Structures are given as structure tokens and as C-alpha cells.
Amino acid sequence: MASDPVQHVKNYLREAQRRGIPEHNAIALATTGEGEIPNVRIVLLKDIRDGQFVFYTNYTSVKAMEILSGNGAAFVIFWARMQVQIRVRGTVETVESRVSDAYFESRSLLSRYGAIASPQSQVIRTRDDLLDRVEAVAGKYGDKPPRPPHWGGYRILPLAIEIWQAGEGRLHTRNRWSRPDADSPWESVLLAP
């Protein structure tokens, strides 16, 4: 295996997209909050930039609060059709405002309205209340809604990456790369299945 595991992840993502795997960039993101009990949900990996994995969310959501309290996260992505699983662990930082702005502008208009209107992870009375909020945002901003300050991107700076490939008779191939910090070189090992 090559010395850059992030490049392997990019290659697998391209292959999953080429094969037409729906939501090929869906990752199960794990964070921990108070009490260190893990919390997992699906988010979309939107970019791999400078060796870092980028996703976007509401900064007041449960995941954001857990990221803030723990400063770390992990994710797994699995493509059954390809029989490949990728696991990533690392520290988390917010992306620059200009990066969040650019991605926000690329989203569909309804998605931008939703990012402004939705009090993510908070209790709402009815779905109609949420739709009314979206309609009010649309009326206020038209086709130029600004990115709200409570919404933007995070990047995971990977400290460990494992790529698992299924093998016959469950003799899988597991390659793991790790490093003590984001400035250190990767060290790789082969793990028994």
C-alpha cells in the first residue's frame, strides 16, 4: 500500500461514484458528549481538502456540541457492493468561513432555506411549523439566502485510517495507518482479520 492513506480514500470514493452507488459519500459519524457515550449519525462527506475530511452541519446541533466538548470524531463508510470499509479517527476543526460560504452557495435553494430555518436537533411542535419557517425564509431572502452564522463546515484531521477489503473465507485484508498528530508522517501496518 502507498504511504498516503487519504489518497486511497479518494480513489475508493471515485470508484464508488463511478459504480453508481447511491449516496456513495454517506458516512456514519461518531462523536462523544458528556459521559463519553458515543453518538452516531449519517452525514455526507462533501470534500477531502488538504488531507482532511470535510462535512457541513448546524453549529448548534447535538453533533456540533459533542465535537466542541470532545474535539474528536470518527467515521466509517461501507460499500457492500465493493466489499470495502473505511474507518477514520481524528481531531476536528471548523473550516474557514469562505469555504463554508462557497459550499453553502452550491447547495440547492431549498437546502439553503432549510439550513436557515431548521433549529436542528431541537424539538419542534409539528412538521408544518418547520415548513412555515422555511416559507418565511424564502419570502425574506428570495433566491439569495445568506449562509447563517450557525451553519458551516467541519474538517476531520485524520490520525488513524483503516481500509478493510473483504476476502474469501473471511480472510480480509486490513491496512491501518496512524500518526500521533497531523504533522507527523503516516506509519502503516497490516492487521489480521
Side-chain angles (χ1 to χ4, degrees), residues 1 8 14 24 31 51 76 80 95 97 101-102 135 158-159 173 180 182 185:
M1 287 295 239
H8 287 295
R14 277 194 293 269
H24 71 281
T31 55
V76 65
V95 302
S97 292
D101 289 343
E135 189 174 314
L159 300 177
T173 300

Side-chain angles (χ1 to χ4, degrees), residues 71-135:
N71 195 35
F75 73 79
V76 65
I77 187 167
F78 176 64
W79 300 290
R81 192 182 310 167
M82 292 170 47
Q83 290 295 285
V84 171
Q85 171 183 262
I86 296 172
R87 297 172 57 207
V88 175
R89 296 176 63 222
T91 59
V92 183
E93 300 175 347
T94 55
V95 302
E96 297 80 4
S97 292
R98 64 178 172 70
V99 174
S100 290
D101 289 343
Y103 175 69
F104 188 79
E105 286 299 314
S106 76
R107 299 180 86 203
S108 74
L109 194 54
L110 185 57
S111 292
R112 287 181 277 165
Y113 293 156
I116 296 168
S118 176
Q120 192 177 63
S121 301
Q122 298 186 28
V123 175
I124 58 174
R125 201 169 58 81
T126 67
R127 181 158 173 80
D128 284 341
D129 288 346
L130 176 62
L131 296 177
D132 289 346
R133 289 174 65 121
V134 169
E135 189 174 314

Side-chain angles (χ1 to χ4, degrees), residues 139-161:
K140 181 176 181 179
Y141 294 112
D143 63 354
K144 298 279 188 215
R147 179 180 66 87
H150 66 265
W151 190 95
Y154 285 107
R155 61 177 168 240
I156 299 175
L157 291 71
L159 300 177
I161 296 176

